[in-house]
Amino acid sequence: MIKALLNDVKETFAERFKKEPLLIFSPGRINIIGEHTDYNDGFVFPAAVDMGVVAAIHKSDTTYCTAIALDFDSTIVFELDKIKPSKEGSWENYVLGVVAEIQKQGKVLGNFNIVLKGNIPEGAGMSSSAALENSVTLGLNELFQLGFSKEEMIFISQKAEHNYVGVKCGIMDQYASMFGIKDHALHLDCRTIKAKPYHIDFKDHRLVLINTNVKHSLSTSAYNDRRAACELVSKVLGIVALRDASGADLEQIRDKVSEENYQKALYIVQETGRTIQAAKAIENNDLETLGQLIYQSHEGLSKQYKVSCEELDFLVDRAKENPNVIGARMMGGGFGGCTINLVTRTSVEAFVKSVSAAYAKKFNKDCSVYHVALSDGTHIIDRTIAKQLQ
Ligand code: GLA
């Protein structure tokens, strides 16, 4: 899947900068279950995929840096001693934010040129942002021998998103993108930042992604509001994060918080529990239970946490009607993007066909279907491999 990206990025780099760059692939992710639990110190179950961002990067002899995003047909030029956020919602903040966060750590960067291209549609809920941030972080770490560990790099990427992009995200996306392992999903404890890899082979079933192709406005502020609500309830409970709460604890303070916030906190407590149960279900090869947990996760995200939307609910409802889909839910931050579906292997084609037709009829636009492979995390593309891929 990355071959086309690689060729485009290399070609542009050669044309513009006449040098052989360092090439990096940084993947997006799926998440089997455990949504909005990461910033509550809970568990998540993501995996890196074979869709993401390719970056070509090299030192520059100029007195400024140049960054080119082929997806947006956009180029920026900036000076390292004058880094500040660019306009809200622009791709530039992902690059500038990483540079700023590295500088905050007291590390000295030299001028550089970078060309970027990705194949994850924006707003798909597959973490194109973390893929982009990690590609820049790893590229700069390598180029200027900054000596950051992978764990340090993911926190640089996350802080870039907090401070330059404005999304107060958790650590799931950056972790999954950086630490992904081929054919594995990562059961990550977001408090200790330690993950247990699970080999994923669902045999008679497949994971299928369906993109609503919608990204509702206000998703950034709504995301930050959810986080603030969780922090508020934690404060009332006198705990560090909702990971430490039980349903009984919440019941005790129910009259001290709004009903909406109670429901949101309850969702987090339940989803944390579901994510632990999901790992057990996978260990036991019990896909029926896993599927049920995935459906319950969607129900909570939609009714209690209120981060779904009409299009996502529609896709999950169609999945529920189909006996060959044993689990389906919205994936990622919400308010649009993809559903993840656990489907009987031999029924994938028929399901995709019928759900696509129903979606087009209802919303007068198409959904997109992705079949992804679970892949390794952010890495340098070996020059010989890059040549073979040409
Ligand atoms: C976004 C954020 C993640 C996580 C998910 C929801 O992808 O970047 O940190 O909170 O939403 O699970």
Side-chain angles (χ1 to χ4, degrees):
M1 273 198 188
I2 67 162
K3 199 173 150 184
L5 298 180
L6 195 62
N7 286 340
D8 289 351
V9 160
K10 278 177 73 174
E11 205 178 293
T12 305
F13 204 94
E15 258 169 42
R16 286 291 304 266
F17 306 114
K18 321 256 176 291
K19 285 203 179 127
E20 205 176 317
L22 186 70
L23 293 161
I24 293 145
F25 176 67
S26 187
R29 58 112 190 89
I30 58 165
N31 185 24
I32 297 175
I33 196 165
E35 220 63 88
H36 287 271
T37 42
D38 59 352
Y39 52 83
N40 287 295
D41 281 4
F43 290 86
V44 290
F45 215 156
V49 293
D50 57 347
M51 287 169 80
V53 172
V54 171
I57 188 166
H58 203 286
K59 290 181 185 171
S60 162
D61 318 322
T62 51
T63 54
Y64 52 85
C65 301
T66 303
I68 302 177
L70 293 177
D71 298 314
F72 305 105
D73 200 10
S74 167
T75 302
I76 52 162
V77 164
F78 53 93
E79 290 168 59
L80 287 170
D81 55 353
K82 293 191 186 109
I83 299 292
K84 57 174 183 9
S86 184
K87 55 187 176 305
E88 208 185 310
S90 72
W91 67 272
E92 300 147 33
N93 283 326
Y94 296 98
V95 178
L96 297 170
V98 166
V99 171
E101 294 303 330
I102 291 177
Q103 289 177 333
K104 267 192 209 165
Q105 310 256 335
K107 299 275 183 176
V108 181
L109 292 171
N111 288 307
F112 65 93
N113 298 317
I114 187 165
V115 178
L116 300 149
K117 187 172 165 113
N119 59 2
I120 297 176
E122 215 192 326
M126 293 172 67
S127 234
S128 54
S129 341
L132 178 51
E133 290 148 8
N134 280 351
S135 73
V136 180
T137 309
L138 187 95
L140 292 174
N141 189 54
E142 212 40 49
L143 211 55
F144 296 105
Q145 299 290 303
L146 303 177
F148 288 123
S149 67
K150 280 188 176 185
E151 192 162 317
E152 286 167 331
M153 284 193 263
I154 63 172
F155 286 113
I156 288 171
S157 293
Q158 184 197 30
K159 287 199 192 95
E161 187 137 350
H162 285 191
N163 299 328
Y164 268 59
V165 182
V167 180
K168 303 287 177 199
C169 62
I171 199 64
M172 167 170 74
D173 302 352
Q174 291 78 9
Y175 187 96
S177 169
M178 183 68 79
F179 287 94
I181 305 173
K182 191 176 186 311
D183 298 331
H184 288 72
L186 307 168
H187 194 242
L188 172 67
D189 180 333
C190 297
R191 173 165 279 166
T192 60
I193 319 294
K194 296 275 174 284
K196 181 171 172 196
Y198 280 70
H199 183 254
I200 300 294
D201 176 6
F202 289 149
K203 298 201 166 60
D204 294 341
H205 291 82
R206 280 185 71 178
L207 288 171
V208 179
L209 304 180
I210 307 179
N211 192 352
T212 56
N213 290 322
V214 297
K215 180 180 195 278
H216 290 280
S217 55
L218 298 179
S219 56
T220 298
S221 58
Y223 182 95
N224 293 343
D225 288 351
R226 297 301 179 282
R227 183 169 184 152
C230 293
E231 284 167 2
L232 187 99
V233 179
S234 297
K235 210 165 159 199
V236 175
L237 283 166
I239 55 175
V240 177
L242 288 178
R243 146 62 169 290
D244 300 318
S246 66
D249 296 337
L250 289 177
E251 204 49 57
Q252 298 245 318
I253 53 122
R254 193 164 181 167
D255 58 347
K256 295 198 178 69
V257 296
S258 66
E259 181 59 18
E260 283 85 47
N261 284 352
Y262 167 78
Q263 287 300 337
K264 289 192 177 89
L266 183 61
Y267 160 79
I268 297 295
V269 170
Q270 293 169 339
E271 182 76 351
T272 300
R274 279 191 286 268
T275 308
I276 295 167
Q277 287 175 48
K280 291 208 181 89
I282 292 181
E283 269 166 34
N284 298 336
N285 249 320
D286 180 1
L287 292 193
E288 285 302 323
T289 300
L290 177 65
Q292 279 159 23
L293 292 166
I294 290 174
Y295 274 132
Q296 285 164 19
S297 168
H298 184 80
E299 192 68 12
L301 286 158
S302 179
K303 306 274 163 43
Q304 294 167 274
Y305 213 61
K306 295 199 176 0
V307 289
S308 185
C309 63
E310 204 194 340
E311 292 88 345
L312 288 165
D313 289 345
F314 179 85
L315 289 179
V316 172
D317 285 344
R318 297 294 77 74
K320 267 191 191 152
E321 286 164 8
N322 189 323
N324 298 310
V325 186
I326 60 171
R329 64 176 200 87
M330 55 148 278
M331 192 179 76
F335 309 104
C338 288
T339 59
I340 181 165
N341 302 266
L342 188 53
V343 190
T344 314
R345 196 174 277 269
T346 50
S347 312
V348 170
E349 211 176 303
F351 166 61
V352 159
K353 211 170 149 194
S354 75
V355 84
S356 301
Y359 188 84
K361 190 163 172 224
K362 168 88 177 165
F363 296 106
N364 214 9
K365 62 174 170 265
D366 290 331
C367 55
S368 309
V369 177
Y370 311 129
H371 300 287
V372 290
L374 309 192
S375 304
D376 285 330
T378 311
H379 59 274
I380 292 164
I381 305 170
D382 194 273
R383 279 190 213 285
T384 45
I385 293 177
K387 283 222 166 68
Q388 282 162 16
L389 281 172
Q390 271 177 342

